[in-house]
Amino acid sequence: MNQGEPPRDERTRRLMMAALDGEITAQDRTELDRLLQADAALETEWLQLARLKEVTSDMALRRPSEEVWDRYWGGVYRRLERGVGWILASLGAVVLISYGLWTGIKSMFGDPELPMFIKVAILAVIVGVVILLISVIREKLFTRQADPYKDVVR
């Protein structure tokens, strides 16, 4: 719809859509019939829309073959299994790494002979490595999901 169209054309289009959907009142139907008789271009558009509605109403989706269904369900199972596996592995890794870091940091800060700047430097290295590791893993996972060639068989 052009920006310069008057509101009357918008009303006419709404009436046409309501008529196509079977949601038009008798009064609006009378108004639409009068508008269609007055404008040949509008009547042509109405006939095209009615034909389009008729054609699309009679369309039926083709049933996929068994091979397509088998591939679909295989993909669903594979994604589900891998998703559960990644979740469990990630949770386990987070718990183990957290426990190891907590124990290491606790013993490091409990050692009075180790200078404070060494403690801070070790903590900075640990945090930096963890951030880099998470960044690389996240990037690999997102790249793998968007890779258009991942399912190509050689």
Side-chain angles (χ1 to χ4, degrees):
M1 185 163 66
N2 294 338
Q3 290 181 357
E5 281 184 332
R8 183 103 177 116
D9 286 346
E10 184 177 330
R11 166 92 174 130
T12 303
R13 301 230 183 313
R14 285 185 183 175
L15 288 173
M16 288 170 36
M17 293 301 116
L20 285 173
D21 294 338
E23 299 174 352
I24 193 167
T25 65
Q27 180 183 3
D28 287 344
R29 182 63 199 206
T30 304
E31 180 183 352
L32 178 62
D33 288 340
R34 184 181 51 76
L35 291 167
L36 292 175
Q37 289 174 356
D39 187 352
L42 192 62
E43 185 174 13
T44 302
E45 183 180 348
W46 166 251
L47 292 174
Q48 289 174 344
L49 286 172
R51 177 69 182 136
L52 180 64
K53 168 84 176 179
E54 179 184 333
V55 168
T56 56
S57 295
D58 294 339
M59 284 183 164
L61 295 175
R62 213 176 74 211
R63 299 234 357 118
S65 67
E66 286 300 317
E67 179 182 308
V68 171
W69 277 116
D70 290 343
R71 256 187 297 143
Y72 169 76
W73 285 114
V76 168
Y77 294 139
R78 183 176 62 242
R79 286 191 305 272
L80 182 65
E81 290 169 349
R82 289 180 184 173
V84 170
W86 273 110
I87 289 170
L88 292 175
S90 298
L91 286 175
V94 165
V95 169
L96 292 174
I97 290 170
S98 299
Y99 178 74
L101 286 174
W102 175 255
T103 305
I105 290 171
K106 192 167 91 172
S107 67
M108 181 180 66
F109 278 102
D111 184 7
E113 293 181 15
L114 196 59
M116 183 54 99
F117 74 92
I118 296 293
K119 293 177 183 179
V120 171
I122 291 172
L123 188 60
V125 168
I126 291 171
V127 170
V129 167
V130 168
I131 290 172
L132 289 173
L133 183 65
I134 290 171
S135 175
V136 168
I137 290 171
R138 182 186 53 81
E139 184 178 344
K140 289 292 182 185
L141 287 175
F142 286 128
T143 302
R144 187 171 183 219
Q145 289 174 353
D147 183 10
Y149 302 109
K150 69 179 177 187
D151 292 327
V152 174
V153 178
R154 293 181 186 201

